[in-house]
């Protein structure tokens, strides 16, 4: 690719032809603030806070949308630029509710930070009439407060262009502009899949997760209850990033932190990931041997499940009947653990700490119940967990390392990598290979499914020489493209792993703000490192899983396994959350 030469604030830099001014500034290590810009998507140039001066041009130009040209001289910090930026932010603030003290984004808000950086210390215009719209609390996952929206459009574009859902869009004109679901319906009655990618990218408190932290504190304060917790692999990876330590160190300190919060037992969702592999790997072999239905498609991502219910109801028979690890662990606690420990199931509350807002929706699904009651009683995200540490004034870095409780706490490295795209397929193939040959493969034999390519393919040769093909997909936009080919019979995949969020659970909508592909790759790296350091690398070798089958479940796909660990789904309307069968 040909290069062009520009200067940014006097610093010479060479960039590829076609680069934007913002790209050139990044290369020159000059920071330009942005609000509506999304790396990797076409610019819209709607917020204008990234405007800069270009020698020879009369007007300021939005650096995220303006191509750099050879010889261009760019200035990002002239008094004219700073004044214009300040005015842009002041215009946004003119219509903002100003309830920052009570906002969930307080102290972690892009708009607040930008106003502070710009030196805004007073309201520029007298407060007059301002837009009003009720807060939408209908969704189990996402709270929408349109009055805090600055109309940057990032949520609309992520929902449509990345996730292929398009549950929200711009509506109204001028003063009455809002971002809304169609017909101003409540979010819960739309095709929203609860993935929370809109929440992760929103620069203000207009879209936040529904917080269940108060409910968790209430459980913990109730002496009549036995409140236990489980944590997903991607949570420890995010904590490692936030607190600047390895995934293994973060895991050990997280266990101690959860005990300090008051949980009676600290279990590992990775245990249930190993259990999922036993059930799903066996299910795959059965389907291959018994003629389908194939491809078998993974079912541990609740955002993907709801997407399939809305847009691919004819493919629901292809979904694995396995519940997700979150739900499996809850069902095991309320039945197996309750029986072993002689604790009445009705006194147990299971809290899950997840990187994912859709897990809140999943926990409330009517399908997720057994004789022991609801599998999971409350779900908090990684962000909510970090807020809980803040409420406790906890210094995470100085905590002593702790260990998960036994029975439901041991896990293999295969369980750890569940949190990254490709991890479920890789973990499953390790065990499927063993089930077919009686021998373990090399733990890294299937690492071709690692990495952030949107769609990856892999092959497994069976003992009879037959080749089984599979695909690994992350991001629902990518899932839509592949599922259209599956639906039209263009593929011969035997299995497909689909994760709703870009990068898999490590890129989930409940992870700390500021996600980008580089951070997602780093978090996946933490999980691969945890896997590498584990003595146990295979789900079928987890001694607690073996014991659960010996003492309680009997075998994968047994009647008891089916009753506790499996479920089924029904189609929904393409236009609303309605259950198709009930229309
Ligand atoms: Fe460039 Fe909004 S970030 S116009």
């Amino acid at each position: 690719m040909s290069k062009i030469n520009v200067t940014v604030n006097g610093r010479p830099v060479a960039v590829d032809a076609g680069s934007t001014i913002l790209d050139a500034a990044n290369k020159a290590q000059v920071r330009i603030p942005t609000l509506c810009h999304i790396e990797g998507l076409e610019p819209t140039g709607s917020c204008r806070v990234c405007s800069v001066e270009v020698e020879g041009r009369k007007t300021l130009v939005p650096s995220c949308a303006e191509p750099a040209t050879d010889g261009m001289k760019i200035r990002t910090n002239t008094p004219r630029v700073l004044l214009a930026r300040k005015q842009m932010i002041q215009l946004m603030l003119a219509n903002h509710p100003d309830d920052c003290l009570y906002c969930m984004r307080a102290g972690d808000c892009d708009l607040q930070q930008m106003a502070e950086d710009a030196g805004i210390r007073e309201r520029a215009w007298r407060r007059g009439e301002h837009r009003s719209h009720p807060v939408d609390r209908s969704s189990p996952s996402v709270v929408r407060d349109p009055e805090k929206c600055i109309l940057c459009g990032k949520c609309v574009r992520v929902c449509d262009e990345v996730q292929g859902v398009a549950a929200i869009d711009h509506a109204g004109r001028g003063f009455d502009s809002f971002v809304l679901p169609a017909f101003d319906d409540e979010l819960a009655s739309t095709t929203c899949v609860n993935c929370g990618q809109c929440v992760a990218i929103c620069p203000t408190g207009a879209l936040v997760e529904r917080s269940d932290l108060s409910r968790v504190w209430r459980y913990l304060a109730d002496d009549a209850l036995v409140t236990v917790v489980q944590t997903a692999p991607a949570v420890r990876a995010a904590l490692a990033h936030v607190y600047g330590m390895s995934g293994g160190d973060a895991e050990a300190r997280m266990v101690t932190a959860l005990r300090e919060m008051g949980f009676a037992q600290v279990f590992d969702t990775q245990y249930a990931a190993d259990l999922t592999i036993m059930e799903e790997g066996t299910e795959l072999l059965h389907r291959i041997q018994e003629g389908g239905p194939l491809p078998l498609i993974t079912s541990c991502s609740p955002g993907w499940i709801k997407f399939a219910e809305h847009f691919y109801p004819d493919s629901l028979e292809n979904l694995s009947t396995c519940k997700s690890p979150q739900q499996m662990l809850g069902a095991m606690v309320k039945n197996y653990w309750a029986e072993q420990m002689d604790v009445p199931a009705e006194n147990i509350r299971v809290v899950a700490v997840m990187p994912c807002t859709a897990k809140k929706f999943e926990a409330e699904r009517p399908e997720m119940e057994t004789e022991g009651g609801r599998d999971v009683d409350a779900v908090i995200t990684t962000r909510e967990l970090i807020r809980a540490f803040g409420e406790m004034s906890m210094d995470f870095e100085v905590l002593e390392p702790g260990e998960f409780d036994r029975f439901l706490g041991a896990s293999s490295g295969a369980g750890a990598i569940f949190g990254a795209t490709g991890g479920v397929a890789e973990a499953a193939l390790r065990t499927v290979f063993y089930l077919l040959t009686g021998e373990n493969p090399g733990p890294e034999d299937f690492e071709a499914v690692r990495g952030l390519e949107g769609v990856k393919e892999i092959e497994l040769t069976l003992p009879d020489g037959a080749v089984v093909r599979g695909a690994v997909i992350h991001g629902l936009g990518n899932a839509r493209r592949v599922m259209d080919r599956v639906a039209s019979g263009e593929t011969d995949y035997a299995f497909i792993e689909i994760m709703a969020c870009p990068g898999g659970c490590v890129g989930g909508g409940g992870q700390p703000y500021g996600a980008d592909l580089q951070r997602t790759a780093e978090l996946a790296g933490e999980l691969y490192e945890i896997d590498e350091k584990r003595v146990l690398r295979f789900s079928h070798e987890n001694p607690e899983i073996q014991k659960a089958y010996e003492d309680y479940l009997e075998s994968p796909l047994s009647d008891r396994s089916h009753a506790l660990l499996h479920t089924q789904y029904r189609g929904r309307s393409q236009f609303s959350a309605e259950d198709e069968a009930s229309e």
Side-chain angles (χ1 to χ4, degrees):
M1 187 173 280
S2 63
K3 295 275 185 192
I4 56 169
N5 295 298
V6 302
T7 64
V8 185
N9 297 349
R11 298 180 202 175
V13 63
V15 290
D16 293 336
S19 300
T20 62
I21 291 176
L22 183 64
D23 295 330
N26 285 338
K27 183 105 186 269
Q29 297 188 308
V30 171
R31 194 175 78 81
I32 300 176
T34 62
L35 266 180
C36 69
H37 175 66
I38 305 177
E39 193 65 45
L41 297 191
E42 286 295 312
T44 58
S46 62
C47 79
R48 302 272 158 169
V49 300
C50 69
S51 293
V52 296
E53 233 178 274
V54 172
E55 196 177 283
R57 300 274 288 269
K58 282 193 179 139
T59 56
L60 299 180
V61 296
S63 61
C64 68
E66 185 75 15
T69 55
D70 198 36
M72 199 177 238
K73 291 189 172 62
I74 301 151
R75 291 269 162 201
T76 70
N77 278 329
T78 63
R80 189 177 163 214
V81 167
L82 297 185
L83 189 63
R85 186 182 300 157
K86 195 168 186 170
Q87 283 182 343
M88 293 298 163
I89 300 163
Q90 283 169 323
L91 279 169
M92 290 176 212
L93 294 174
N95 218 345
H96 203 68
D98 280 0
D99 63 347
C100 300
L101 207 54
Y102 305 101
C103 179
M104 200 192 280
R105 292 293 301 264
D108 198 4
C109 168
D110 296 351
L111 182 64
Q112 195 178 44
Q113 185 63 53
M114 206 166 271
E116 188 176 332
D117 290 349
I120 296 171
R121 284 285 165 264
E122 60 187 354
R123 180 170 282 286
W125 294 280
R126 211 159 54 81
R127 193 161 179 84
E129 190 187 352
H130 63 102
R131 304 178 308 157
S132 77
H133 200 286
V135 177
D136 177 0
R137 300 183 195 278
S138 63
S139 161
S141 302
V142 176
V143 175
R144 219 166 43 84
D145 186 348
E147 289 183 19
K148 291 181 183 165
C149 174
I150 56 169
L151 301 173
C152 68
K154 281 169 129 175
C155 54
V156 172
R157 294 164 67 210
V158 161
C159 189
D160 180 17
E161 296 174 40
V162 177
Q163 296 297 65
V165 175
I168 45 176
D169 207 341
H170 294 273
R173 297 222 170 254
F175 188 72
D176 292 319
S177 296
F178 286 106
V179 168
L180 303 170
F183 310 113
D184 201 5
D185 280 347
E186 292 183 324
L187 200 57
S189 59
T190 71
T191 55
C192 167
V193 299
N194 304 293
C195 68
Q197 288 300 314
C198 59
V199 173
I201 206 155
C202 177
T204 72
L207 289 158
V208 293
E209 70 269 28
R210 185 191 76 184
S211 179
D212 292 296
L213 192 50
S214 301
R215 180 143 52 106
V216 171
W217 287 127
R218 281 200 299 277
Y219 290 158
L220 288 168
D222 189 337
D223 291 340
L225 298 177
V226 178
T227 302
V228 306
V229 68
Q230 56 164 313
T231 66
V235 174
R236 67 209 71 183
L239 294 178
H241 195 267
V242 169
Y243 295 108
M245 57 182 71
S246 74
D249 285 346
E251 176 182 277
R253 281 163 179 77
M254 173 185 70
V255 172
T256 303
L258 291 166
R259 288 195 202 289
E260 288 200 6
M261 282 178 75
F263 289 105
Q265 299 277 306
V266 182
F267 296 131
D268 197 348
T269 316
Q270 288 179 190
Y271 163 91
D274 281 335
L275 192 55
T276 305
I277 290 302
M278 296 304 295
E279 295 290 323
E280 203 167 84
T282 309
E283 186 183 12
L284 174 62
L285 285 180
H286 276 214
R287 290 205 197 182
I288 289 172
Q289 286 155 2
E290 289 163 20
L294 293 173
L296 176 124
I297 309 178
T298 56
S299 56
C300 33
S301 167
W304 150 242
I305 296 290
K306 188 159 185 272
F307 184 83
E309 288 174 323
H310 283 298
F311 302 110
Y312 296 94
D314 293 341
S315 299
L316 291 180
E317 64 167 12
N318 292 87
L319 293 182
S320 164
T321 59
C322 289
K323 290 180 182 174
S324 72
Q326 166 179 284
Q327 299 304 131
M328 281 199 187
L329 196 121
M332 289 294 277
V333 169
K334 297 236 178 139
N335 293 277
Y336 172 57
W337 184 83
E339 188 180 301
Q340 299 282 322
M341 307 305 284
D342 200 18
V343 178
E346 62 267 25
N347 292 354
I348 301 173
R349 294 293 178 272
V350 176
V351 174
V353 187
M354 294 284 139
C356 171
T357 51
K359 289 282 171 193
K360 293 172 184 276
F361 162 75
E362 180 183 48
E364 292 184 12
R365 291 188 68 117
E367 298 90 348
M368 301 302 170
E369 208 168 286
T370 67
E371 270 183 21
R374 295 219 58 77
D375 296 341
V376 173
D377 299 285
V379 178
I380 58 171
T381 61
T382 312
R383 284 193 296 268
E384 289 170 88
L385 180 67
I386 293 171
R387 281 182 209 128
F389 296 165
E391 288 181 28
M392 298 171 73
S393 304
M394 185 187 283
D395 286 329
F396 188 83
E397 295 92 334
V398 304
L399 295 174
E400 289 294 320
E403 284 187 12
F404 288 104
D405 284 296
R406 290 305 146 202
F407 264 121
L408 306 170
S411 68
S412 73
I417 60 176
F418 249 64
T421 172
V424 180
E426 187 174 346
L429 289 173
R430 289 182 194 174
T431 287
V432 167
F433 185 94
Y434 170 80
L435 293 174
L436 284 167
T437 64
E439 288 173 19
N440 283 337
E444 266 90 37
D445 280 3
F446 304 109
E447 66 178 9
V449 291
R450 297 182 186 184
L452 291 179
E453 211 179 310
V455 181
K456 293 159 282 186
E457 295 189 333
I458 191 160
E459 291 183 352
L460 172 70
T461 305
L462 303 180
D464 63 3
V467 174
V468 169
R469 284 188 185 78
V472 167
I473 303 159
H474 63 108
L476 291 173
N478 293 324
R480 190 183 274 284
R481 282 184 275 282
V482 174
M483 287 305 295
D484 285 344
R485 289 174 50 225
V486 170
S488 60
E490 288 171 49
T491 65
D492 62 351
Y493 300 134
F495 64 93
I496 304 178
E497 177 203 297
I498 300 182
M499 294 289 162
C501 291
C505 306
V506 284
Q511 293 284 67
Y513 293 115
D516 58 23
L517 279 183
Q518 189 188 334
R519 190 188 82 176
T520 301
E522 283 170 15
L523 298 198
E526 295 291 351
L527 297 181
Y528 291 123
E529 201 180 310
I530 289 175
D531 172 34
E532 238 175 77
K533 289 185 176 161
R534 279 278 204 280
V535 178
L536 268 182
R537 305 289 298 276
F538 301 93
S539 299
H540 53 271
E541 291 186 346
N542 181 336
E544 290 187 9
I545 295 286
Q546 292 169 343
K547 184 167 168 45
Y549 279 113
E550 275 165 32
D551 293 351
Y552 192 71
L553 294 170
E554 295 167 14
S555 63
L557 307 188
S558 68
D559 287 348
R560 184 170 264 170
S561 288
H562 264 291
L564 297 187
L565 311 178
H566 292 251
T567 190
Q568 274 182 330
Y569 302 101
R570 291 200 302 177
R572 298 173 193 255
S573 161
Q574 281 207 24
F575 308 103
S576 73
E578 293 291 300
D579 186 327
E580 280 203 329
S582 65
E583 282 183 329

